[in-house]
Amino acid sequence: MIYKDNRNRLFNGWIRLYFLSDVEHKYLLYQLLPTARDVGVSKELRGWSWHQPPLKPYYDNVKLPMYAVCSKYCPTNRDVYLRYVEKISPIPSGKVALGKILHGVVSDCLRAFAQRRNIDFESWWQTIRWSEINEKPENLKEPSRKVWDFLQKICEARLAEFSSRQPYASELDLIASAVPFLVEHKISGELLGLSGILSLDCYDYLKALMFDLKVASEPQEWHRLSPVGYALVFESVHEVPVDVCCNVYLDVKDGKVFVRRDLFFASDELRQWWIEERDRKLEIVAEGKDPGKPNRSQCPVDCMYFKFCYE
């Protein structure tokens, strides 16, 4: 099995999101990084080998977004066929709306802090384009406020901690050390058969660690595909090795914020799995092949294409 090394290692903790806890930092330093150095990554599976097999895309005329390659909600991948061959727009669920809002909360709050812009939650809330979100604002406001407030407190605490260590550092230096993240970093995935404009949820440039944020989701093995895919894209464009990835699971229940993290080595096996998924889905679109409906009992209740398959 691909995940025998650490597949059950989920870290729980107070909301730190992209900030590692002391335990996670030790796990990174004394297990994941030594494993990455000892086992290594095959040179043909580094993103900068995009021009040769197996990373070179077989089809030049099809480009897909990362979520289409990495999503495995549909057992037969028929969602990819419906969206990119039949051009059918999905019907977003309330869970998708929550995910979209909380992604915005996290990215905008972190970027505002890093840029030292004084934006409060209410001001930010007024900027949301509700025409693009299929949910009532009142159902999303309090979860969003909770995440915004907690994240601001953590950032301020981190900045105060670094200020006390380096009293003569400039504010720019302190911010770069306290919040060392590229958030919603725009990058092209075209070298690997992906869209020209991708957005990384978060990349920690001091630890070379790729994060992906999941909202209101239970951990699944295939969730690891997404940050591994972004690691490959980052390597293909910047030629910087990314050996460790992390899925951050964020949820708000009963007014409390919950975070779990899955920190793992971006191994050869995971990279090969990502390539297989990419090739399979590029073929569906390039050849216009309908993979067929899955058994109805296998379909998630919140599938955005359920209506088109069974109603």
Side-chain angles (χ1 to χ4, degrees):
M1 288 291 290
I2 291 173
Y3 302 101
K4 63 184 179 182
D5 57 340
N6 59 337
R7 59 178 166 169
N8 295 318
R9 189 178 294 275
L10 284 173
F11 293 92
N12 297 276
W14 190 60
I15 181 166
R16 288 173 178 265
L17 284 169
Y18 304 136
F19 301 101
L20 298 188
S21 68
D22 290 342
V23 171
E24 289 168 319
H25 197 218
K26 287 180 181 293
Y27 181 63
L28 174 69
L29 291 181
Y30 299 115
Q31 183 154 334
L32 290 179
L33 290 180
T35 298
R37 291 168 189 144
D38 290 345
V39 177
V41 174
S42 300
K43 60 181 181 180
E44 67 271 18
L45 295 175
R46 287 293 193 185
W48 52 75
S49 298
W50 56 269
H51 49 85
Q52 60 189 20
L55 273 173
K56 182 178 171 56
Y58 188 77
Y59 300 96
D60 292 328
N61 59 336
V62 179
K63 307 293 181 187
L64 289 175
M66 185 67 81
Y67 65 81
V69 169
C70 299
S71 171
K72 291 184 67 65
Y73 287 107
C74 179
T76 65
N77 301 316
R78 193 163 194 258
D79 53 349
V80 175
Y81 171 79
L82 294 174
R83 179 71 181 88
Y84 300 100
V85 178
E86 297 292 341
K87 308 295 184 186
I88 296 174
S89 297
I91 301 174
S93 63
K95 182 178 173 181
V96 172
L98 179 64
K100 192 169 185 176
I101 283 289
L102 292 191
H103 270 83
V105 169
V106 171
S107 62
D108 289 351
C109 187
L110 278 175
R111 287 196 291 192
F113 184 84
Q115 296 165 6
R116 305 307 286 155
R117 289 184 289 132
N118 187 21
I119 302 175
D120 61 26
F121 174 77
E122 290 296 337
S123 300
W124 175 82
W125 187 253
Q126 299 304 316
T127 65
I128 297 172
R129 296 189 295 271
W130 289 104
S131 60
E132 300 175 10
I133 298 175
N134 188 31
E135 183 59 279
K136 297 177 181 176
E138 57 266 32
N139 293 338
L140 301 174
K141 189 167 186 177
E142 280 313 301
S144 301
R145 188 197 300 276
K146 288 284 184 186
V147 175
W148 180 283
D149 289 346
F150 275 120
L151 196 50
Q152 275 213 320
K153 289 175 183 174
I154 292 171
C155 289
E156 292 290 355
R158 291 274 299 183
L159 183 59
E161 178 186 348
F162 277 81
S163 298
S164 67
R165 291 184 197 169
Q166 300 290 340
Y168 301 111
S170 68
E171 185 177 58
L172 183 62
D173 283 339
L174 292 172
I175 289 289
S177 299
V179 191
F181 305 136
L182 295 178
V183 178
E184 293 293 331
H185 176 60
K186 299 296 183 289
I187 193 168
S188 173
E190 291 178 290
L191 296 174
L192 294 177
L194 302 172
S195 305
I197 300 177
L198 301 177
S199 293
L200 314 178
D201 281 348
C202 180
Y203 175 69
D204 183 327
Y205 50 76
L206 293 184
K207 298 184 180 67
L209 180 55
M210 188 65 67
F211 288 96
D212 199 56
L213 182 65
K214 313 289 186 189
V215 173
S217 296
E218 286 299 314
Q220 303 288 338
E221 291 186 350
W222 58 266
H223 286 169
R224 290 182 169 188
L225 289 170
S226 186
V228 167
Y230 284 120
L232 284 164
V233 169
F234 201 85
E235 290 177 348
S236 75
V237 173
H238 298 302
E239 304 212 3
V240 173
V242 182
D243 292 336
V244 179
C245 296
C246 184
N247 276 319
V248 178
Y249 294 92
L250 170 65
D251 205 353
V252 183
K253 296 178 180 177
D254 301 324
K256 297 181 180 178
V257 179
F258 294 89
V259 175
R260 287 184 287 178
R261 278 185 293 264
D262 176 26
L263 196 60
F264 60 94
F265 170 40
S267 63
D268 278 4
E269 290 80 3
L270 284 168
R271 291 165 186 260
Q272 287 168 340
W273 188 12
W274 184 88
I275 294 169
E276 291 167 7
E277 291 296 328
R278 178 203 62 180
D279 291 349
R280 183 177 299 117
K281 289 163 183 172
L282 286 178
E283 182 181 9
I284 288 173
V285 179
E287 304 295 333
K289 291 181 178 176
D290 185 348
K293 301 175 187 176
N295 186 306
R296 186 167 179 162
S297 64
Q298 296 177 295
C299 297
V301 293
D302 55 354
C303 174
M304 295 189 288
Y305 289 96
F306 188 89
K307 172 183 175 182
F308 302 104
C309 285
Y310 291 107
E311 293 182 5

